[in-house]
Amino acid sequence: MTHVLAVDDDPALRTLLTDYLGGHGLRVTAVASGREMDEVLEREAVDLVLLDLRLPGEDGLQIARALRERATLPIVLLTGQDEEADRVMGLELGADDYVTKPFSPRELLARLRAVLRRYQVQATLPERDSTRRAFRFAGWELNLRTRRLRSPAGEPVELSNGEFSLLAALCAAPGRALSRDQLLTMSRLHEAEVYDRTIDVQILRLRRKIEQDPSHPKLIVTQRGAGYLFDTTVETLY
């Protein structure tokens, strides 16, 4: 059973989380402080940490930072409505998602399941190879070390961090249909700053840059019900 460790100082909320999430197939351990969180992590296997950023006498962001440095497990933040700066900082520190209080337990459950699903699909993805220097496809060259894209005419094409990482993920798995969750996970493996998690928007932007006719794409092909497929031969340069 998937084990969620919830960290929040509100006893009523801890009870709600234990009852609701527990009633939907998750095992929940609820604690009130970062110290108690550490004690649970020392003795038990945890699959996801749900962390309130506003713990009395503690810095939730510092707890999130230390947790990310020592573990690769998913982290979902609980924040207040007026804590946008904390949410952004939390994501930059490596948190996977956030939920704003007050929240719908149903929405929280859906978000937790989505984050867990993204981590689970990592095992099925191509591993990142740090020895790769570049990818070549259809006359294009994507340099992984300089993070630059060159067109078939030899001209540089500007890419955002998200666009670069998504294109690198597609190049790493040519001819394979990849779901949106898989593409998001692979993009994060390439250290993308894909905070809005809108893969469709990133795909649209990439098509505008590399497709001859973005409205009728030949390289990044939509697979209905499956995701996207990079339909071209890719050469890996080392």
Side-chain angles (χ1 to χ4, degrees):
M1 184 179 292
T2 300
H3 186 190
V4 173
L5 174 55
V7 187
D8 195 289
D9 65 298
D10 184 345
L13 183 57
R14 293 199 301 274
T15 299
L16 182 150
L17 292 172
T18 302
D19 292 346
Y20 186 83
L21 298 179
H24 287 80
L26 299 177
R27 175 191 169 199
V28 180
T29 299
V31 299
S33 68
R35 178 184 57 78
E36 292 177 279
M37 178 194 76
D38 289 337
E39 292 174 355
V40 174
L41 290 172
E42 285 293 328
R43 68 175 186 263
E44 298 189 46
V46 171
D47 297 294
L48 181 147
V49 172
L50 180 62
L51 173 64
D52 183 7
L53 286 183
R54 295 297 181 184
L55 297 172
E58 297 183 273
D59 185 340
L61 288 173
Q62 184 58 42
I63 293 174
R65 182 198 301 274
L67 184 57
R68 174 51 69 229
E69 289 176 349
R70 72 190 245 197
T72 58
L73 78 170
I75 302 171
V76 176
L77 305 177
L78 290 174
T79 72
Q81 289 183 333
D82 299 325
E83 297 171 6
E84 180 179 359
D86 284 349
R87 292 194 290 272
V88 172
M89 180 61 70
L91 292 171
E92 290 178 345
L93 291 176
D96 297 275
D97 202 353
Y98 66 85
V99 178
T100 304
K101 294 181 179 181
F103 56 82
S104 158
R106 183 177 179 182
E107 178 186 358
L108 172 65
L109 177 63
R111 287 184 176 274
L112 296 185
R113 284 176 170 170
V115 170
L116 287 164
R117 187 166 60 247
R118 291 201 295 271
Y119 271 72
Q120 289 165 358
V121 301
Q122 283 190 19
T124 69
L125 302 177
E127 293 185 5
R128 179 172 53 178
D129 186 344
S130 61
T131 66
R132 291 171 179 163
R133 178 171 58 85
F135 289 119
R136 282 181 182 159
F137 62 92
W140 295 82
E141 182 172 305
L142 181 67
N143 191 308
L144 301 177
R145 298 177 183 176
T146 64
R147 302 175 71 88
R148 292 182 179 177
L149 178 65
R150 190 176 66 198
S151 74
E155 300 173 348
V157 176
E158 292 294 326
L159 295 176
S160 68
N161 286 339
E163 291 164 356
F164 165 80
S165 294
L166 185 56
L167 182 55
L170 290 167
C171 287
R176 177 178 173 184
L178 298 171
S179 69
R180 291 168 178 81
D181 280 342
Q182 287 176 313
L183 285 170
L184 174 63
T185 303
M186 292 171 74
S187 294
R188 286 192 172 223
L189 288 176
H190 286 279
E191 299 175 355
E193 294 179 359
V194 187
Y195 296 145
D196 62 3
R197 289 164 288 131
T198 310
I199 292 296
D200 294 340
V201 173
Q202 300 285 351
I203 290 289
L204 177 62
R205 292 171 179 167
L206 270 180
R207 282 173 170 167
R208 289 172 178 168
K209 293 183 177 182
I210 68 173
E211 298 278 5
Q212 288 188 351
D213 182 359
S215 61
H216 297 87
K218 301 296 184 183
L219 297 175
I220 307 176
V221 180
T222 301
Q223 298 287 291
R224 294 193 179 279
Y228 296 98
L229 179 146
F230 201 47
D231 193 16
T232 186
T233 300
V234 177
E235 177 187 3
T236 302
L237 306 180
Y238 293 95

